[in-house]
Amino acid sequence: MGDLPLDQVRTLLAVVEHGTFDAAAAALNVTPSAVSQRVKALEQRTGRVLLLRTKPVRPTESGTQVVRFARQLAQLDLDLRAGLGEPGESVRLPIAVNADSLATWFLPALTRVPDVCFDLHREDESHTAALLREGLVMAAVTSSPEPVPGCSVRPLGLMRYLPVAAPGFVAKWLDGQWRQRIGAAPVVVFDRRDELQDRFARAVTKAPAGTQRHHVPSSEAYLEAIAAGMGWGLAPTSQARARLAAGELVLLGKQWVDVPLFWQQWALESPALSATALAVFEAAKDGLVPPGRAARSDRG
């Protein structure tokens, strides 16, 4: 196969990042035809199809490996320029993070890392690792303890979710017998990948949550929907605490669900990536239950 031409490798990365050949061409200041020719030449050189020509385009399994290589080269180039004190574009770090972490403890970590531009990809914690595999991000907050090939993994802590509902909702739907009635009551879920409410309901009733489901794909709006009485749901402790104290929400029993979170990052010597990881772990100490504490659920 020989050495891969850097202009072709960088062009492939641009196409994957921007989603189309036209958008990549605009970003690279070349014609769409030139982008297409470079990608085809790279596929001929590697002897593999590297892109699925969908909208947006997606890398194939082989393309994922080349994209990861391209992103590593780009990061090393930026780190080198920064280390030499050369003017240029800021170091950019793409990171995948789940919505609840983004809305609670994660952002303060990034404020501790100067001179880095963050490109955050919001995704469910059970799916963020897939973005690492595809080479779309360099690090991820994930629920998977299994390292993606070429990545290291360390535990961050436990995100604790409390089952809550508005007082009026409890009076109308649960009436002091929430264990018996929760399976038939409306429930608020984040999106169709959100399985937390079903996990909780199965632990209580041996059956999933009810079929009356409201999908609210925003951490802040999700809690608002519960407080408004649309249904019961599981909310991060840090978000629910103030509303519980104010009486806007009530706790359903004394159970909770703990979700272990891990930090996965490329095994790449990068000052920006190392500084970010350190800041993330410091923020996790304040925002998550310590990882050494066993996940459990008190019965009540």
Side-chain angles (χ1 to χ4, degrees), residues 8 11 21 25 28-40:
Q8 296 176 10
T11 298
F21 282 69
L28 296 172
N29 198 27
V30 298
T31 65
S33 176
V35 170
S36 179
Q37 290 173 10
R38 289 179 188 178
V39 172
K40 288 180 180 178

Side-chain angles (χ1 to χ4, degrees), residues 106-136:
F106 189 77
L107 282 180
L110 306 188
T111 65
R112 304 175 185 177
V113 188
D115 304 322
V116 174
C117 292
F118 294 99
D119 180 7
L120 300 182
H121 298 243
R122 192 189 69 181
E123 183 56 273
D124 184 85
E125 64 271 8
S126 61
H127 294 84
T128 50
L131 300 184
L132 274 172
R133 293 189 187 92
E134 295 174 7
L136 297 178

Side-chain angles (χ1 to χ4, degrees), residues 156-211:
L156 285 167
L158 307 171
M159 177 159 275
R160 179 158 293 170
Y161 290 84
L162 303 177
V164 294
F169 178 88
V170 172
K172 177 180 179 179
W173 288 94
L174 305 179
D175 193 24
Q177 302 180 53
W178 70 271
R179 288 179 181 275
Q180 292 77 22
R181 299 184 179 184
I182 196 170
V187 61
V188 183
V189 298
F190 187 83
D191 58 22
R192 286 165 178 79
R193 291 179 173 177
D194 183 5
E195 299 178 349
L196 282 181
Q197 284 65 221
D198 289 327
R199 280 178 56 185
F200 178 79
R202 285 192 181 96
V204 173
T205 69
K206 309 302 182 185
T211 57

Side-chain angles (χ1 to χ4, degrees), residues 59-140:
T60 63
E61 185 175 348
S62 297
T64 293
Q65 303 303 315
V66 180
V67 167
R68 181 182 298 179
F69 171 68
R71 197 178 294 283
Q72 290 175 340
L73 282 180
Q75 188 62 44
L76 290 171
D77 180 65
L78 288 172
D79 288 339
L80 176 60
R81 292 175 183 273
L84 294 175
E86 292 187 7
E89 62 180 296
S90 300
V91 175
R92 185 174 68 89
L93 283 183
I95 300 173
V97 58
N98 61 306
D100 287 335
S101 290
L102 193 58
T104 53
W105 65 273
F106 189 77
L107 282 180
L110 306 188
T111 65
R112 304 175 185 177
V113 188
D115 304 322
V116 174
C117 292
F118 294 99
D119 180 7
L120 300 182
H121 298 243
R122 192 189 69 181
E123 183 56 273
D124 184 85
E125 64 271 8
S126 61
H127 294 84
T128 50
L131 300 184
L132 274 172
R133 293 189 187 92
E134 295 174 7
L136 297 178
V137 299
M138 297 179 63

Side-chain angles (χ1 to χ4, degrees), residues 4-13 28 38-39 42:
L4 299 181
L6 294 184
D7 63 331
Q8 296 176 10
V9 170
R10 289 168 176 158
T11 298
L12 181 74
L13 176 61
L28 296 172
R38 289 179 188 178
V39 172
L42 186 59

